[in-house]
Amino acid sequence: MLNLDFHPTGRHFLQIPGPSPVPDRILRAMSLPTIDHRGPEFGALGLQVLKGIKQIFKTEHPVAIYPASGTGAWEAALMNTLSPGDQVLMYETGHFAWLWQQMARKLGLEPEVLARQGSDAALPHAPSWRRGVQADLIEERLRKDTQHAIKAVCVVHNETSTGVTSDIAAVRRAIDAARHPALLLVDTISGLASADYRHDEWGVDVTVSGSQKGLMLPPGISFNALSPKAIEASKRSKMPKSFFAWDEIVEMNATGYWPYTPNTNLLYGLSEALDMLLGEGLDQVFARHQRWAAGVRAAVNAWGLEIQCADPAVYSPVLTGVLMPEGVDADAVRKLIYERFDMSLGTGLSKVKGRMFRIGHLGDSNDLTLLGTVAGCEMGLKLAGVKLKGSGVQAAMEHFATNKQQQA
Ligand SMILES: *Cc1c(COP(=O)(O)O)cnc(C)c1O
């Protein structure tokens, strides 16, 4: 049982970068009765969500929807396109990129890790965790692979552990410039439907995403957006697969059904999320997140704290990583904020554990919930004894009051 005394009144502030707060409209849609997944009503729902989700990925090609978390869709992307022992080039931007490498290794692939070199004063042990993918390193490596032993390049679009995005179009250009046939596999589990993403235009072969971040749904479904080249590769792939195999899913999806029981109520939620996002317009959705992110960054700057992302060109619109001054345990600050103000913030993962926390600005949110979020952080930081230069709340209010949301 939940300890209800602990959450006495009001909404919990779920300011982690996924799961994101789910709009009531979506929760209500999900509360409809579960229907026969072989019945006529279901087929119509299936066709509707499969059509809508293509618009979100900006693709004309099939999108597989799995009743699995994002990790399952990561596995699906590798298993459908590759063969045992294949070399894959994986760029390390942070913890999630690292986890995908570990998975590739466990599945019997041979990941080669690329990462930005150089030094970083604030995070000397993780210089590649503060900036986006350096596409020229990928191009340089692929040019040396004259035998085309590398079968795929894997990158994370919005690195949720750090709050750093990567230029996916630049990675495509790097692969093309090297005239290399490797597939491009991209994780935008936390970027989709919050940050600009274009599966077809950017020449991505498999895009991996999940439900519980920008799509504003609970965890439990995930996606593979495919390209014709990925589908061709799947016919030659020798990795063992059954549940995750695209062929049967894509074939049955043509009539709105799945080979197994799909997650019916989450698909009701997806249908509602698609109505909301496409109704608002994706450009508007992206602008809204950019504006929120800028407001939160204005607060961090006013506090005089350092933002984890060291390159303003690739700040994430989805979350902001906040580095703590030397000697302050970020998790102790998070714990204090949780206990005093009923707000969850993202923890620092692996290499940055205790060094930083993450503020999510996605899902069911608005200017005032983000001001509340910033206020909770500011009070918690002060109570934890962190010396702040100025008021982040004041700076965020200034930002939200003077930067009106543009109507598309
Ligand atoms: C959340 C996330 C994952 C993991 O997804 P799960 O749904 O937890 O399995 C992987 N990559 C990124 C970038 C994420 O944000």
Side-chain angles (χ1 to χ4, degrees), residues 303 305 324 328 333 336-337 340-341 357 374-394:
W303 291 329
L305 297 175
M324 288 297 96
V328 176
V333 178
L336 191 153
I337 291 171
R340 283 291 300 274
F341 305 114
F357 64 78
V374 168
C377 290
E378 186 162 319
M379 289 188 288
L381 287 162
K382 280 187 183 161
L383 288 169
V386 179
K387 286 243 175 320
L388 302 179
K389 205 172 78 189
S391 170
V393 176
Q394 196 62 46

Side-chain angles (χ1 to χ4, degrees), residues 55 69-70 106 205 276 321 368 408:
Q55 290 175 258
S69 86
K106 287 182 206 163
D205 292 300
M276 290 172 75
L368 296 188

Side-chain angles (χ1 to χ4, degrees), residues 69-71 74 96 156 158 160 187 189-190 212-213:
S69 86
T71 304
W74 259 353
F96 287 101
V156 174
N158 184 69
T160 324
D187 167 346
I189 293 180
S190 62
Q212 76 273 28
K213 312 212 172 157

Side-chain angles (χ1 to χ4, degrees), residues 324-381:
M324 288 297 96
E326 212 60 62
V328 176
D329 176 7
D331 286 333
V333 178
R334 283 178 51 248
K335 181 166 183 282
L336 191 153
I337 291 171
Y338 178 73
E339 289 173 355
R340 283 291 300 274
F341 305 114
D342 196 20
M343 175 160 76
S344 293
L345 295 166
T347 186
L349 294 161
S350 58
K351 282 188 189 176
V352 288
K353 179 118 197 92
R355 280 290 286 125
M356 56 93 85
F357 64 78
R358 296 169 295 148
I359 304 173
H361 25 82
L362 73 167
D364 191 44
S365 205
N366 58 34
D367 292 3
L368 296 188
T369 49
L370 289 176
L371 280 174
T373 300
V374 168
C377 290
E378 186 162 319
M379 289 188 288
L381 287 162

Side-chain angles (χ1 to χ4, degrees), residues 42-346:
F42 188 90
L45 171 70
L47 288 175
Q48 186 204 330
V49 294
L50 287 162
K51 178 166 175 260
I53 197 69
K54 286 187 187 188
Q55 290 175 258
I56 302 284
F57 280 98
K58 298 197 174 159
T59 183
E60 301 288 326
H61 305 294
V63 177
I65 306 178
Y66 295 106
S69 86
T71 304
W74 259 353
E75 182 160 327
L78 300 174
M79 297 303 267
N80 275 285
T81 51
L82 299 167
S83 296
D86 274 357
Q87 270 179 254
V88 283
L89 192 60
M90 304 182 89
Y91 195 102
E92 184 168 319
T93 41
H95 183 67
F96 287 101
W98 179 82
L99 282 177
W100 205 8
Q101 289 158 30
Q102 300 306 302
M103 170 186 273
R105 197 160 281 129
K106 287 182 206 163
L107 293 175
L109 298 166
E110 296 205 4
E112 177 181 329
V113 178
L114 270 187
R116 181 184 297 269
Q117 302 304 309
S119 61
D120 183 274
L123 286 179
H125 60 298
S128 75
W129 283 37
R130 296 196 70 192
R131 290 165 189 278
V133 169
Q134 212 183 312
D136 59 326
L137 291 182
I138 293 176
E139 180 177 339
E140 193 183 307
R141 179 63 190 91
L142 292 179
R143 279 186 190 281
K144 286 191 191 131
D145 180 34
T146 51
Q147 303 299 309
H148 297 166
I150 295 169
K151 300 301 178 199
V153 173
C154 299
V155 294
V156 174
H157 172 231
N158 184 69
E159 180 50 81
T160 324
S161 63
T162 59
V164 176
T165 61
S166 282
D167 183 346
I168 303 304
V171 175
R172 173 80 268 167
R173 286 195 298 274
I175 298 172
D176 291 347
R179 298 179 185 279
H180 198 288
L183 295 164
L184 173 56
L185 312 186
V186 177
D187 167 346
T188 190
I189 293 180
S190 62
L192 192 75
S194 298
D196 185 16
Y197 193 82
R198 313 174 194 186
H199 178 83
D200 288 0
E201 187 184 322
W202 292 347
V204 181
D205 292 300
V206 187
T207 301
V208 179
S209 196
S211 57
Q212 76 273 28
K213 312 212 172 157
L215 289 171
M216 312 182 288
L217 297 166
I221 52 176
S222 54
F223 310 89
N224 274 180
L226 317 181
S227 75
K229 189 173 159 190
I231 294 172
E232 278 311 304
S234 75
K235 294 176 183 156
R236 297 187 303 272
S237 150
K238 296 199 168 53
M239 299 293 273
K241 58 194 152 290
S242 168
F243 177 78
F244 284 120
W246 293 334
D247 50 1
E248 235 185 308
I249 298 172
V250 170
E251 193 188 318
M252 284 198 70
N253 276 176
T255 49
Y257 297 93
W258 271 260
Y260 42 73
T261 318
N263 206 327
T264 313
N265 289 54
L266 272 167
L267 296 181
Y268 292 151
L270 176 58
S271 167
E272 199 69 16
L274 293 170
D275 282 354
M276 290 172 75
L277 292 162
L278 297 172
E280 183 180 356
L282 285 177
D283 288 343
Q284 186 72 16
V285 170
F286 301 149
R288 181 159 57 73
H289 286 85
Q290 291 287 1
R291 179 171 165 282
W292 285 344
V296 170
R297 288 195 304 269
V300 180
N301 289 331
W303 291 329
L305 297 175
E306 203 166 338
I307 292 170
Q308 162 93 21
C309 178
D311 178 3
V314 291
Y315 281 144
S316 172
V318 175
L319 74 141
T320 300
V322 185
L323 284 167
M324 288 297 96
E326 212 60 62
V328 176
D329 176 7
D331 286 333
V333 178
R334 283 178 51 248
K335 181 166 183 282
L336 191 153
I337 291 171
Y338 178 73
E339 289 173 355
R340 283 291 300 274
F341 305 114
D342 196 20
M343 175 160 76
S344 293
L345 295 166

